[in-house]
Amino acid sequence: MVEKKAGGRCPWTMGREKRRTPSAEEGQGQGEGAHGTVVRKIHVPLSKEDALSLRVGEMVLLSGQMVTGRDRVHRLLVRERPGKEEIPFVLEGGVLYHCGPLIVKEGDAYRLIAAGPTTSMRVEMYEAEVIRQYGIRGIVGKGGMGEKTRAALQEAGAVYFNAISGAAVYLADRIRKVVDGWRVEEFGAPEAMWLLEVEDFPAVVTMDAHGNSLHRTIEDLSRENLRKLIRE
Amino acid sequence: MLKLRDGIVELYRKVATSIPTDVEEALKRAQAEEAEPLARESLDIILKNISLARTTSRPLCQDTGFPVFFVKVPRGLSHQLIKDVIRDATRLATQKVPLRPNAVNSVTEKNTGDNVGELFPLIYTEEIPEQTLTVDLMLKGGGSENIGQLYKLPAVLESGEGEGVPAERDFEGVRKCVLDAVFKAQGRGCPPYTIGIAIGGAKDQVTALSKRQLMRRLNDVHPDAALSAFETGILREVNALGIGSLGFGGRATALGVKIAAAERHPASYFVDVSFACWANRRGRLVW
């Protein structure tokens, strides 16, 4: 459990470099960020064991497949509850990326131009149910999510990754392929569900499967700081 | 007018694929001064993204924003004509840059597909005596637009929990509103933010005015000494909240704060706070 502490260095980064020594049974590699931060390589879709091994504050590089979904996809999944046979992609154990890409069709293929994360909080009212109903193991987005999702992640053994907000070109270059799209005509390109193949896609674990949330920690910390600033 | 149209298409390209030098410099400084490892890593990737977008001429964010134009029109030139040219240029830029189609019909939920629709793009025009046409464009990201706040003073602010904090009709009250807005925003609108503030007596007056402040250069100095001091002081306080780049903690919550004060009605005291994400995309075409 991450401790709350006002002012100074944030508690969740303290000693992290030491804690992340490589472990043979993890089966996932490690690398280094630009400033010596330890970065863990993770394959997606990820197993429950992988999800449980991740901790808030860890930087990861995701490789494998993930699907996109934003406002309309979430509304669809919760309101109309399409069955597994209706959705062309496997969501069970999958990673759902909150992203409305800038994508163009060239002949029969799609070319991705920019694909950063969108604000996750907008789908807070749907996400817990999506995680439960469709067995989602990982969410990628930005800005974090609320208590309902935090509880659902803990219950399901799933994690939330905060991608680098706005770094849409850098991230698009880590998406190797747009495999296919679903509801592209009906929802429009930004709102459709896309299956993407990613390689070394950087993100930070900000909500883990153990109930920890970096967003909550930062909110608590900034609330303390706010109180000091406006009550003095 | 065809040349003007093509000029605006190029303006779209420039604004979507690069960020102003002052913003990039401020991000570099923020990164150099940041002690939090994750915030520093995030700023590192942000800076790489900026240079990658520029060199490959791709929009630096997939959200190419809500286009907002501030146009200074010479006397005698039709404002309607300018608006028509801008709408044509927008359709063309959507294909050529390309821009993400962001105009959604609020009744049918259909995306118009070309970034043109009812009051979309948003175009403000004003007449000037000079003979030069000046077209300022802001591509306003949706995430940062959503975290803006409007306050009506006096008010009791709920932030910080417990009993509320009174915000009176003075600079101290304005200061509390701004800190409250940033606290509520947390990392959801892609910090480090540029923050625009307006004080005034009509709702539409302050919301437009606070957004317009985001067009100012980060290193400009407000001509009013009191407001200039307010900008510097509140920036320091915002950066003491500990939200940091992308909400990962640290110092870099905002790059700059810009404020404007309009005359108000004796009964009304509105404070509006607008946010730009780190990718504060703005540019100018002089014709």
Side-chain angles (χ1 to χ4, degrees), chain A residues 201-219:
Chain A
F201 185 100
V204 175
V205 178
T206 54
M207 295 167 81
D208 65 25
H210 308 280
N212 302 312
S213 164
L214 172 61
H215 309 285
R216 202 174 52 181
T217 306
I218 296 290
E219 191 172 329

Side-chain angles (χ1 to χ4, degrees), chain A residues 180-194:
Chain A
D180 206 357
W182 182 50
R183 303 253 176 167
V184 179
E185 288 304 314
E186 187 187 347
F187 287 177
E191 292 276 5
M193 182 179 267
W194 299 96

